[in-house]
Amino acid sequence: MPAARLETSRVTPLPLPGALSGRSGLPTRPAAAPDRSVYYAGPENSLVAAAVARLIAAAQTGNAVATPLTLIGPPGSGKSLLATGVAAAWSAAQGDDAVLSVTGLDLRRQLERALGAETERPGAVAELADHLAALKLLVVEDLDALAESAVAVELLTVTVDRLAAAGAALVVTASKPLGEIAGLDARIVGRLAAGLNLEVAAPAEGTRRELLVAALAAAGRHVEPAAAADLAAWLHADARRVLAVASDLQHRFGGRKPITKAEARSYITQAAAQEASTPLSDIAAVVARYYAMSLRTLRSSSRKAPVVLARAVTIFLARQLTPLSYDEIGRYLGGRDHTTVMHNFHRIDDRLPKDRALRSAIDDLLRRLGRAEMSASCVSKGEASP
């Protein structure tokens, strides 16, 4: 089943009993509920939250659920938190021996150790395979790492079939669609694709705002609504960075008074000033090469779709990596006015949470510019400067 999302208009907190705090950035542990983490599901992830909630409920009821469930998303989107939350709920209901939550790399290493033990302990691999097949829930995080071993892929393929025959559940996480992961053969792709494949999008602006407010509240701090809105608009779509900023704000602005809009703007200005600037000419040259066009074409008045996209990406990167205003960027790109440049910036910014291909392109361009990936550290200046 192809990746899909259901759009709604709410940001819904999804409690995850016993989930591990900090696995992928989305959780906070509210002081009143130390055994719980919370995943904040905005419109971009409402279907994901519904599927996970059903799977958690099934741990108690024993009802059939749609599995395998494959969660696909970039770092910081929360897929690991969701997967470990499911595992924790099933462990509490079914017992620790019935559930295994393991990374693809660790499962690969377990198999390698079993293979190495075969000479002294024949049947070690079969023992591992039988253990996996006897589970009521298997969670494999980071399928990409497991796919580097053909033997591990074969083990997982057999395990998927045995779990399905036993009516057991399987949850898998991956950073990219199954068909794009090198090393996965058609058999395992087909088996996982027959289940539910959902894209876990990086949190959109409304979700970032709710997460920021909740993270500060969990630490006993509060933030004015206007300040939270400014911070959420400035922060890029990475939950881990939202939590890092919440921690920084907590320590920077002590006391019991709410963080004000003025304090938030001051924080944004200082943080933006600390970002090393990349010349706009370098950004434009790298983007032009990436999209297979000349720099002259990129800066021209052409309205061809590839040129328009490349120009918008250049504007987006320029707002992240330089202190230039919309007017200054517009002058470099053929004398475009402030409004046009701003529109192009928001066109890219609005698409990023739901467009995996665009996120991948931006990350690739940032690497080529010698900057950290967007999902790891890069933030959008948004409206920080006119």
Side-chain angles (χ1 to χ4, degrees):
M1 178 179 301
R5 285 190 303 277
L6 178 67
E7 295 295 326
T8 70
S9 59
R10 297 184 56 196
V11 176
T12 304
L14 173 66
L16 299 171
L20 301 179
S21 179
R23 285 300 300 255
S24 59
L26 274 175
T28 57
R29 284 189 188 270
D35 62 334
R36 294 184 144 217
S37 290
V38 179
Y39 175 82
Y40 287 85
E44 66 280 3
N45 284 318
S46 56
L47 184 56
V48 171
V52 170
R54 285 196 296 270
L55 192 51
I56 289 175
Q60 296 286 347
T61 64
N63 292 337
V65 290
T67 65
L69 171 62
T70 303
L71 301 175
I72 302 165
S77 61
K79 60 185 185 296
S80 291
L81 171 69
L82 291 166
T84 55
V86 169
W90 277 65
S91 290
Q94 304 288 340
D96 292 340
D97 292 340
V99 176
L100 175 64
S101 180
V102 65
T103 66
L105 179 59
D106 284 343
L107 183 57
R108 209 175 83 199
R109 287 172 174 169
Q110 288 184 32
L111 176 59
E112 289 168 355
R113 287 194 293 270
L115 287 168
E118 278 287 340
T119 53
E120 298 181 0
R121 186 165 56 89
V125 173
E127 182 180 325
L128 173 60
D130 289 343
H131 171 67
L132 296 175
L135 296 168
K136 293 185 177 179
L137 169 70
L138 172 63
V139 175
V140 180
E141 294 189 59
D142 189 15
L143 184 63
D144 314 52
L146 181 139
E148 296 176 12
S149 166
V151 180
V153 171
E154 177 64 26
L155 173 65
L156 183 59
T157 304
V158 173
T159 300
V160 171
D161 289 341
R162 295 180 69 180
L163 289 172
L170 172 66
V171 176
V172 173
T173 73
S175 64
K176 62 186 73 172
L178 300 175
E180 297 179 15
I181 300 177
L184 289 186
D185 61 34
R187 293 179 302 149
I188 187 63
V189 171
R191 285 161 173 77
L192 294 177
L196 190 59
N197 286 231
L198 298 175
E199 179 183 347
V200 185
E205 184 175 325
T207 312
R208 299 196 297 270
R209 182 176 62 252
E210 294 293 327
L211 178 58
L212 179 70
V213 170
L216 287 168
R221 293 306 315 274
H222 298 282
V223 57
E224 292 181 354
D230 281 351
L231 288 162
W234 167 70
L235 283 164
H236 206 277
D238 185 333
R240 295 172 304 179
R241 182 164 178 85
V242 175
L243 292 179
V245 167
S247 178
D248 198 17
L249 288 167
Q250 175 195 349
H251 291 96
R252 183 170 301 196
F253 301 108
R256 296 183 178 180
K257 293 182 178 180
I259 297 168
T260 66
K261 180 179 176 70
E263 288 172 331
R265 297 307 299 173
S266 172
Y267 178 88
I268 292 170
T269 300
Q270 292 177 21
Q274 292 172 0
E275 291 284 329
S277 179
T278 301
L280 178 53
S281 58
D282 289 355
I283 295 171
V286 169
V287 173
R289 285 196 297 272
Y290 185 84
Y291 286 101
M293 64 185 65
S294 68
L295 182 58
R296 181 176 180 179
T297 299
L298 177 69
R299 299 177 66 186
S300 72
S301 60
S302 172
R303 299 301 301 167
K304 293 181 179 179
V307 180
V308 171
L309 174 61
R311 194 180 298 128
V313 167
T314 301
I315 291 168
F316 178 81
L317 291 172
R319 288 293 288 176
Q320 294 194 50
L321 305 181
T322 80
L324 298 177
S325 68
Y326 289 123
D327 282 328
E328 291 168 323
I329 296 170
R331 283 196 294 272
Y332 178 83
L333 293 174
R336 286 171 169 77
D337 62 35
H338 169 277
T339 303
T340 300
V341 176
M342 182 186 297
H343 169 76
N344 278 275
F345 169 83
H346 286 295
R347 176 184 166 213
I348 299 299
D349 194 45
D350 292 344
R351 281 178 53 187
L352 278 173
K354 55 189 176 183
D355 191 330
R356 182 191 55 79
L358 181 59
R359 289 197 304 270
S360 177
I362 295 290
D363 278 345
D364 196 7
L365 285 163
L366 286 166
R367 287 192 294 270
R368 296 183 187 207
L369 288 163
R371 302 295 292 267
E373 289 187 15
M374 172 181 59
S375 57
S377 65
C378 199
V379 296
S380 167
K381 292 184 175 64
E383 301 298 327
S385 61

